[in-house]
Amino acid sequence: MFLRVDKLQVELPAPKRQDPNAAAALQELLGGKYGEMSTLGNYMFQSFNFRSKSKLRPFYSLVAAITAEELGHVELVSNGVAMLANGPDKPGGDEQFGGDISNAPFEEMKDIRSAASFYSHAGGAVPVNSNSMSWNADMVTTTGNVIVDLLHNFHLECGARLHKLRVYESLTDANITGREVCGYLLVRGSVHAHAYALALKKLTGVDLDKFLPTPNIPLGNIPECQKYLAEGSHRRLYTFSPSDYEEMRGIWGGGGETALPDDPPGELEVVDGMPEGGKIHDLTGVPSAFTPDYAPEEMFEIASKLYQKSR
């Protein structure tokens, strides 16, 4: 089962301006072929379907723990998409009456790349790619063959890193929200690719990590990756559990395995639990778009009473 914590894996900086087209670009990292919905779907169903779990525990634990992290990546990208689509906070904006909706308050939305993201989802994230094409289950591979599945996962992580880099390169350095998402995920994608390569090495003797990083993305050249490299995120896998999935230490963090050659040196380690994380951005409501409602005052009053009652 999954434990949900009301945090993001990292805190995202608030956007400097509304940028729904950048939000559409970030959707590729959510619902694209190599997006977080794909990595989550692959690893989740592979872990559900895993045969001989008790006898192959280190490999099952690896896939299961990364599954939990990918669920948090879906949450992280989704928050980034919504933050970019909505723009900077408007203090008190959700406390006002909807206003004159006949005055075309969202005229600019008719020309954005993914107009459906506003018309249908009020600027929220959904499992689609950068062209609003739906993510689907055809992107999930679960063969039952451990080596084939791990090799597919290695390919998936390498493809995902390449796509993250391309999205990153489409965003200017003023787009701090989108670039932060990309920087963090490039580091964590490197970890996952490395982990699957090591798992395959243990099973087959083939030294896949000689091909890494694949594609060749030196994280030291990406400013938004630096703080995560400095804190050692490139060397850590998390169990995302208080007591389970310890067995993956036999693959990651055991036997003196070290960081990839292009990354800061150090031994790999498994960390019990989860990252410290950061707060979730509180998106301001937009009454004229009926989010959360056209006239939300009564809803806020009810919620406040319920909150006080719960304490």
Side-chain angles (χ1 to χ4, degrees), residues 52 167 282:
S52 302
V167 171
D282 190 5

Side-chain angles (χ1 to χ4, degrees), residues 97 114 178-179 229 237 240 249 256 287 289 310:
F97 184 69
S114 180
R179 282 200 160 195
L229 295 174
L237 272 177
F240 285 91
R249 282 190 167 89
S310 71

Side-chain angles (χ1 to χ4, degrees), residues 86-104:
N86 287 272
D89 291 330
K90 301 178 181 63
D94 56 3
E95 299 170 0
Q96 304 166 10
F97 184 69
D100 183 6
I101 62 174
S102 68
N103 195 32

Side-chain angles (χ1 to χ4, degrees), residues 31 127-129 131-137 139:
V128 300
N129 69 9
N131 289 321
S132 294
M133 296 174 62
S134 294
W135 181 88
N136 65 78
M139 298 175 188

